[in-house]
Structure formats: C-alpha cells, structure tokens
Amino acid sequence: AQSVTQPDIHITVSEGASLELRCNYSYGATPYLFWYVQSPGQGLQLLLKYFSGDTLVQGIKGFEAEFKRSQSSFNLRKPSVHWSDAAEYFCAVYSGGFKTIFGAGTRLFVKA
Amino acid sequence: NAGVTQTPKFQVLKTGQSMTLQCAQDMNHNSMYWYRQDPGMGLRLIYYSASEGTTDKGEVPNGYNVSRLNKREFSLRLESAAPSQTSVYFCASSKGREGDGQAFFGQGTRLTVV
C-alpha cells in the first residue's frame, strides 16, 4: 500500500539557519510528489512538485526538494529560514486514481 | 481569484445534530475532495468526486454523506454528529484525470461536536 512517512513531528531551527524536512514514501513506481505548507488557520498551499526529469526541483519561497529514488525520499530544504516560514509542512504522493496520500506533517518552529 | 471557498469557517454542534458543509470552486476542476485533519494524522480522505455526477468513498467515510451538486459544488453532510467528528475539514479540487494530482484547498472548517 502507498504511504508517506514524515519522521519528524516537529523541528525547531534558528532564523537564518538551514532547514531540511524529511519525507519517505512507499510506492512501486515513480509517483507524483508534492510538498504543501499550511500556515495557522489556513488551508494547504503548494510549495513544489516533482513528476519526472531533474531530481532537484525548485519551489516558491526559496524552497527546494530532491527526489532520491534509491532512498524513496523527497526531502525539502531551504538554505536560510525566515521567521515567516514557521508553519506545518506536508509531504504527499499521488499515484493516480484521484487519491493523494499525505504524511502526518512536520511542524516547523523558528526561533529568533 | 476565489479558488476554493468553504462555508462555514467555524461550527459547534451538539451530539446528534446534523449539518452540511458547503464547498465551491471556480477553477473548472473536474475532481473535488473532502478531507479531515486531526493532530498527528495528516489529512485523511473522506469522500471524493472524480467528476460531476460521481462520488466515491475515501479512507474514512463512515458518518458522512456527500453530494456533487454540479461541477462547481461539493457538499459534505453529517447526519448525526458525534464527538469523534470534531476535526478540521478541508475541501479541495484538482483537474482530475488529465491533471497531475495537484490539489487546491479551501481554508477549512473547524467543527466541534459537544
């Protein structure tokens, strides 16, 4: 069965420090992969997505993610975190069939 | 751009009461979805509508019904609310079969059942 694992429930980083949020998926073929961000009281907004081709994808707000087939991973990174990046981040996999599987989310705290 | 609009934003129900959550999208999307979000569990699919005129169960359909009223609107009904249905509900839409799975979300409905 398809699944998405985000090992870290929450992460705290200092403003200006680098960030990496982990995501592992389980799926037989190469899926469509997404990262979404949810600010408090808001819906989810797409940060970036991967379908094929270049395994390093760029998204909005300075985020990027790298697809590693051998590790079944799609980790999200940002070189320098801003206080406004504090939010919850969701990794998701879409394998067709109109269903998207979401990870449990990682809440990011940013300290001054 | 309105995108996906959900109403209401907040609701408190007593156990056994019924209510309908409304959702509308203006992106001409074929597929629409209802999710619930609970702490530590991510988003779980309740029902989806692949296209106008069709609806299907998702991961957690018990206690809910849906109606795809037309291409724009997809409502979620709780016939007899239970405390276990206290959650944040999100409606989403996507292009569907010809799309890539990217979903566009409403701002959510925070429902409390007491």
Side-chain angles (χ1 to χ4, degrees):
Chain A
Q2 300 139 30
S3 65
V4 176
T5 302
Q6 294 181 245
D8 304 304
I9 296 173
H10 55 80
I11 282 181
T12 300
V13 299
S14 298
E15 191 169 18
S18 64
L19 170 70
E20 183 168 25
L21 301 182
R22 296 182 290 164
C23 173
N24 293 95
Y25 67 91
S26 172
Y27 182 62
T30 300
Y32 294 83
L33 294 161
F34 304 85
W35 275 99
Y36 289 88
V37 60
Q38 183 183 31
S39 298
Q42 301 295 314
L44 278 69
Q45 178 187 16
L46 181 73
L47 277 177
L48 48 78
K49 55 188 175 184
Y50 172 79
F51 305 141
S52 64
D54 193 347
T55 56
L56 185 64
V57 294
Q58 304 296 321
I60 62 171
K61 305 185 181 186
F63 285 91
E64 66 178 26
E66 186 172 13
F67 170 63
K68 292 186 177 180
R69 184 190 305 275
S70 61
Q71 299 176 18
S72 296
S73 69
F74 188 57
N75 293 349
L76 182 71
R77 300 195 293 249
K78 187 170 185 179
S80 177
V81 168
H82 187 262
W83 64 267
S84 61
D85 294 324
E88 189 152 20
Y89 293 80
F90 291 92
C91 182
V93 58
Y94 175 73
S95 57
F98 306 101
K99 297 179 185 178
T100 298
I101 307 299
F102 288 86
T106 298
R107 183 167 295 278
L108 173 64
F109 298 95
V110 180
K111 58 183 181 180
Chain B
N1 292 335
V4 179
T5 303
Q6 287 181 240
T7 55
K9 287 186 168 54
F10 300 94
Q11 184 71 50
V12 178
L13 290 179
K14 294 182 179 178
T15 297
Q17 286 186 317
S18 62
M19 79 161 295
T20 299
L21 281 64
Q22 306 287 352
C23 175
Q25 52 91 8
D26 61 3
M27 295 172 283
N28 200 36
H29 283 167
N30 291 314
S31 300
M32 297 185 74
Y33 312 82
W34 277 104
Y35 291 91
R36 60 177 288 171
Q37 182 181 28
D38 302 290
M41 303 189 75
L43 278 78
R44 293 183 293 169
L45 184 64
I46 304 171
Y47 271 93
Y48 68 99
S49 171
S51 60
E52 186 178 356
T54 70
T55 61
D56 285 285
K57 295 178 180 179
E59 184 184 354
V60 287
N62 291 345
Y64 305 95
N65 285 299
V66 290
S67 296
R68 183 75 181 267
L69 304 170
N70 47 55
K71 192 170 186 178
R72 289 187 64 247
E73 298 173 288
F74 187 41
S75 63
L76 178 72
R77 182 160 178 84
L78 287 70
E79 291 291 353
S80 179
S84 61
Q85 294 178 304
T86 293
S87 187
V88 181
Y89 292 85
F90 288 98
C91 178
S93 70
S94 73
K95 290 182 180 178
R97 188 177 297 280
E98 72 271 18
D100 57 16
Q102 179 183 344
F104 295 79
F105 287 84
Q107 294 208 325
T109 297
R110 185 172 294 275
L111 175 66
T112 302
V113 183
V114 297

